[in-house]
Amino acid sequence: MSRYYQPEIETASREEIVRIQNEKIVRQVRHVYDNVAYYRNLMDKKGVKPEDIKSIDDIKKLPFLSKDDLREAYPYGLLGTDLKNCVRIQSTSGTTGKRVVAFYTQHDIDLWEECCARAIVAAGGSNEDVCQVCYGYGLFTGGPGLNGGSHKVGCLTLPMSSGNTERQIQFMMDLGSTILCCTPSYAAYIGESLAERGYKPEDNKLKAGIFGAEPWTEEMRRSIEKSLGIKAYDIYGLTETSGPGVAFECEEQRGMHINEDHFYAEIIDPETGEVLPEGSKGELVFTSLDKEAFPLLRYRTRDICILSREKCSCGRTHVRMSKPLGRSDDMLIIRGVNVFPSQIETVLLNEGYTPNYQIIVDRVNNSDTLDINVELSPEQFSDKVGDNQRREIQLGEAMRTMLGIKPVIHLVPPKTVVRSEGKAVRVIDKRKLHD
């Protein structure tokens, strides 16, 4: 059985990878300049023309794109082709409720699914496997990406989506699932649920899990591996660059191989934007080398990580990225959902509350919890328990509409949210996400 989905590219020489990148970046910059007015304006402001980009080394001449640009250009401002050529969108929430909408041609989807297929084969998958996909389907990229990758590999695909654990377990046991794809916290929950029903790890047929969309520790990996009797692999992606499959772990599990024939990675100093040498810790920047519909150049992910070209025993030659070591912005990932404090602030102000609040994130039984303490103004304060409970429920619903997940709201008396040097400490993250 092959360890690679596309061996000729996954094990290509450094010279061959650079040749592909040189060819693609020249073509992609021309494509973006000619078709995306928003980015053309950024290039013109910087005094850069497509003919200035002769190889991948010239990429540092190009301007960055950020989440703010995506918000400003929403919905069609970064589209790189006629809408009639697009066959799908995927979406994620943005900082103030304006969503990030990514467009795909059929060619874009084929390339994305190939990247996910590489991840599945790296985890030991083949056409003899039963792949159970419990990532959310719909606008979220997790379900559609791994579903397509599973089809490419030829696995029997169970498009379960998330939730309904009773049904997940029934199908897993009855159909003999061998590969599980979901968030790590849901994998941990499935493991606990199986144990509660009296199943031992050896009772299921699972051999591997492909887990991503939220931060998880090595300790959590070991716990999941033990409870399900599997080897657990990490996968990384962003809606903005396509979705899961931008990078994935091999059996060595020492960083995720970036699909360098499709995505060019840089590490920059988040303060200055200067490109840092290999092995430095900094902010990850991605360029999509061959996306047609939503071709982002030098997109700042805000994820902090390290790149390594150290030789890998799996035989893959593509650069590896560490697990994200944090964020250079204030985004939180809670149960696989991007949550920005600014979104919470927007809801509070819209609902007539003060912008004094505190977010408390924790992880209980391997599942993230989200509590928000909201300080009432003296005029709003009431010592009637019923009044506050009703308002907490209403505010919780408004937050769910904005965030996509429902927090537990606690309305607290005036002046009780702790200030430090006059400024509230907005986020308390009690999860231990790094060893």
Side-chain angles (χ1 to χ4, degrees), residues 122-151:
S126 73
N127 59 6
E128 294 180 4
D129 281 290
V130 178
C131 186
Q132 183 160 338
V133 183
C134 324
Y135 285 110
Y137 281 68
L139 290 172
F140 179 60
T141 54
L146 271 302
N147 189 91
S150 176
H151 279 219

Side-chain angles (χ1 to χ4, degrees), residues 38 59 75 97 102 145-146 152 185 192 219 231 259 289 296 305 313 349 360 384 393 415 431 433:
Y38 187 96
I59 201 167
L146 271 302
K152 292 259 191 213
S185 54
E192 287 163 13
E219 184 184 36
K231 187 158 180 170
N259 285 309
L289 293 171
L296 299 189
C305 78
S313 64
L349 294 171
I360 298 152
K384 289 182 183 163
I393 290 164
K415 302 275 192 298
R431 298 173 296 180
L433 297 177

Side-chain angles (χ1 to χ4, degrees), residues 36-39 41-42 45 64-79 94-101 103 294 296 299:
V36 184
Y38 187 96
Y39 199 78
N41 291 338
L42 292 180
K45 268 186 209 160
F64 293 112
L65 274 173
S66 69
K67 203 99 169 195
D68 288 342
D69 291 307
L70 269 59
R71 199 164 64 236
E72 201 178 307
Y74 172 90
Y76 293 121
L78 287 165
L79 189 60
T95 50
T96 55
K98 232 183 206 183
R99 301 188 71 86
V100 171
V101 175
F103 298 85
F294 200 61
L296 299 189
Y299 179 67

Side-chain angles (χ1 to χ4, degrees), residues 28 49 52 80 94 125 141 166 195 212 228-229 242 258 350 368 401 420-421:
Q28 187 72 314
K49 291 281 181 255
D52 297 330
T141 54
E166 199 62 54
L228 292 173
S242 67
I258 295 170
N350 287 347
D368 292 338
T401 303
S420 65
E421 296 167 14

Side-chain angles (χ1 to χ4, degrees), residues 66-219:
S66 69
K67 203 99 169 195
D68 288 342
D69 291 307
L70 269 59
R71 199 164 64 236
E72 201 178 307
Y74 172 90
Y76 293 121
L78 287 165
L79 189 60
T81 186
D82 288 345
L83 208 52
K84 67 182 180 187
N85 299 326
C86 298
V87 297
R88 193 194 298 172
I89 68 150
Q90 302 285 166
S91 179
T92 183
S93 64
T95 50
T96 55
K98 232 183 206 183
R99 301 188 71 86
V100 171
V101 175
F103 298 85
Y104 300 75
T105 62
Q106 189 56 52
H107 168 78
D108 294 336
I109 287 173
D110 289 340
L111 294 185
W112 175 25
E113 291 179 348
E114 281 178 7
C115 289
C116 289
R118 291 179 191 178
I120 291 168
V121 174
S126 73
N127 59 6
E128 294 180 4
D129 281 290
V130 178
C131 186
Q132 183 160 338
V133 183
C134 324
Y135 285 110
Y137 281 68
L139 290 172
F140 179 60
T141 54
L146 271 302
N147 189 91
S150 176
H151 279 219
K152 292 259 191 213
V153 174
C155 304
L156 175 64
T157 309
L158 310 188
M160 303 295 294
S161 198
S162 51
N164 199 334
T165 306
E166 199 62 54
R167 188 175 64 191
Q168 301 277 9
I169 288 172
Q170 183 194 339
F171 274 68
M172 180 184 289
M173 303 309 286
D174 292 352
L175 292 168
S177 301
T178 53
I179 297 174
L180 179 66
C181 304
C182 60
T183 61
S185 54
Y186 193 55
Y189 183 68
I190 288 174
E192 287 163 13
S193 302
L194 283 166
E196 280 165 15
R197 287 160 180 75
Y199 290 112
K200 297 185 182 69
E202 57 271 23
D203 295 336
N204 72 62
K205 292 212 170 113
L206 291 173
K207 64 180 186 184
I210 299 173
F211 307 133
E214 64 186 16
W216 54 309
T217 59
E218 286 303 312
E219 184 184 36

